[in-house]
Structures are given as C-alpha cells and as structure tokens.
Amino acid sequence: VAAAEAGAAPAVAVVLPGVDPEVPMEIAALMMELSPAQGAVAAEDAVDWDVRVLSAAPEPTLLIHMKGSAIPAPAEAAAPLREVETQRIQNWVQRVIIGMKVCPFTQSVNLAATGLEKVGVYPGGIYYPYSSATSLIHSLGATWEALDRMLAAPPAEISTVLLVLPRYSPDDHARFATASNLLARGLTSIGVDKQVSAVFFHPFYDRNRVDPPDAPTHGHLPPHSFILQMLLNFFDLEEIETFD
C-alpha cells in the first residue's frame, strides 16, 4: 500500500497480517541498520530511510519513509553473460562441492539431497537464480525472491537455491560478510531459519572477518579455534597433523 502526503517524503505501509507482533519490530530494527546514520553497512550500501512500526494499526504494519534518493534497480545483464556466469557457478559446484566432497549428498549440479531417503529427506532440484545487483538492498531483494520461490515450490522441484550475485562486492569480503550477517539475522527474526539453512560463499572468504570471529554463526564456517576439536571427533591427532 503506497501513500504520500502532500509535501511529505514518499512512504510505503507494509501490512503483515498474522505475524507475531514482535516480528515487525525486529524487521524494522534490521532495516534501520542500513540507514547511513547508523554506520552499520558500507557507504555504498546505505539506504536513507526511516522504518518504524505502526503500533495503532489493526494488523502488524511497517511504515517506511524514504528520506534520500531512490536506489536505481540494477541493469539486467545480457542473456549470454548470465548464462556464462551461471555456468561458472555450476562448474564450481562440480569441481568443489561434488568433486572435493564438500557436501557428500550433492552428486549432481542439478540435484541435491541424494542418499538421505532413510532420514525422510528426498532429492530435490537446485535452482540457480541470477541477479545483477550491485547494492545490498537489491541483493537482499533477490535473495528473498529466490527463497520465496523455493518455499512455494514442491521440494522435489526446488530444494536448494544457489543465488548468483557476480556484481555485488566481488572483491570486498568484509562488505559481503556484513551483508550475510544481516541476512542471517533476518532469517532468524521471522523464523525462516527453521525451514532454511543458509551457507555463504565468496571468492575471498575470510572467516576471521566474520562477526563474531570466535563463535559459531549461521551460514559460515566454524571459527578456526573450533576446528581442531571438531576434527578430533573423527581423527587421531597424529592423523590430523598430516593434513594440509
């Protein structure tokens, strides 16, 4: 529902019927982290807006006032480029995820969760959406759209999403880590983390640049300080010392 009073900043009211009353408050707090006044995200990812909960509304409602300039939607990449960059990700899945057995239950670039039938999990398709987003807000939008499609589809059709984001922070892992932290907390705030498990990949991934650096966090590798103890659950120390 769009609304704007004469002379006032553009505003959007987002009605969230049926959700827990605490959820809009958590969402508003997360969205306000994108405000330049908070300094929580990179300058190029900041969104000059004000987000608050309309406590007097008959249904849980967020009111979003855009104070600064609108952020233009990203230009769509040409189809051949999209195909090439998506193919690169599929080649990486074949080489690393499958070839190096990072996930033993992925045996094809198009099918995930194989071999888990005994625990009630059945194979499902892998969906590779593509976004030309260069900003955090559009990257998050592409993520939520992909998750919405996955959750609406039968698991046999889509059980895994690998969102291809080649234009968002390709050389800046710190910026990417901030974005992934915001997304993970967003999943938790609305309870989707009980249905979806996120994993974040980046060409320059550095676990030491992920907050908190010394504790587990959704979607990321365990802290380096945890790895030895985790390996000792499966290997002898002498064997571990031979690992590269």
Side-chain angles (χ1 to χ4, degrees):
V1 179
E5 298 178 2
V12 173
V14 182
V15 183
L16 303 168
V19 305
D20 187 294
E22 296 295 322
V23 169
M25 297 176 64
E26 294 182 18
I27 294 175
L30 286 169
M31 292 178 69
M32 282 304 296
E33 289 191 32
L34 274 67
S35 167
Q38 294 207 14
V41 300
E44 56 266 50
D45 285 330
V47 181
D48 193 9
W49 59 12
D50 179 68
V51 184
R52 57 190 176 90
V53 177
L54 285 181
S55 56
E59 294 281 0
T61 303
L62 291 172
L63 184 65
I64 306 169
H65 279 281
M66 199 68 189
K67 300 175 357 182
S69 301
I71 301 174
E76 286 294 323
L81 181 60
R82 293 167 64 101
E83 292 171 5
V84 167
E85 294 184 321
T86 301
Q87 185 62 55
R88 288 182 63 193
I89 296 300
Q90 292 177 329
N91 293 344
W92 173 81
V93 170
Q94 181 65 53
R95 186 179 72 254
V96 177
I97 304 299
I98 299 172
M100 299 178 67
K101 301 188 185 302
V102 172
C103 177
F105 306 110
T106 300
Q107 299 176 13
S108 161
V109 297
N110 296 311
L111 197 66
T114 54
L116 292 170
E117 290 84 355
K118 290 184 178 179
V119 294
V121 178
Y122 296 90
I126 301 176
Y127 171 44
Y128 293 87
Y130 179 103
S131 172
S132 300
T134 59
S135 66
L136 174 54
I137 191 68
H138 288 124
S139 297
L140 291 174
T143 303
W144 288 114
E145 287 179 9
L147 290 177
D148 182 62
R149 177 169 175 179
M150 181 181 71
L151 293 172
E157 179 183 334
I158 302 176
S159 68
T160 299
V161 169
L162 270 171
L163 174 60
V164 184
L165 282 168
R167 303 287 175 272
Y168 179 70
S169 186
D171 302 315
D172 187 347
H173 178 260
R175 181 182 171 202
F176 177 82
T178 298
S180 65
N181 180 279
L182 194 67
L183 174 61
R185 287 186 289 127
L187 293 173
T188 302
S189 70
I190 62 175
V192 178
D193 60 319
K194 297 178 177 61
Q195 299 171 274
V196 173
S197 178
V199 181
F200 302 106
F201 301 100
H202 191 275
F204 298 100
Y205 188 88
D206 182 355
R207 181 59 180 83
N208 291 324
R209 301 288 299 271
V210 175
D211 288 325
D214 54 356
T217 186
H218 188 111
H220 289 281
L221 291 172
H224 292 306
S225 58
F226 283 43
I227 293 177
L228 177 59
Q229 189 56 54
M230 292 173 66
L231 290 173
L232 286 171
N233 291 328
F234 304 96
F235 306 99
D236 295 329
L237 181 59
E238 292 77 11
E239 189 175 5
I240 294 171
E241 290 174 345
T242 67
F243 293 168
D244 292 333

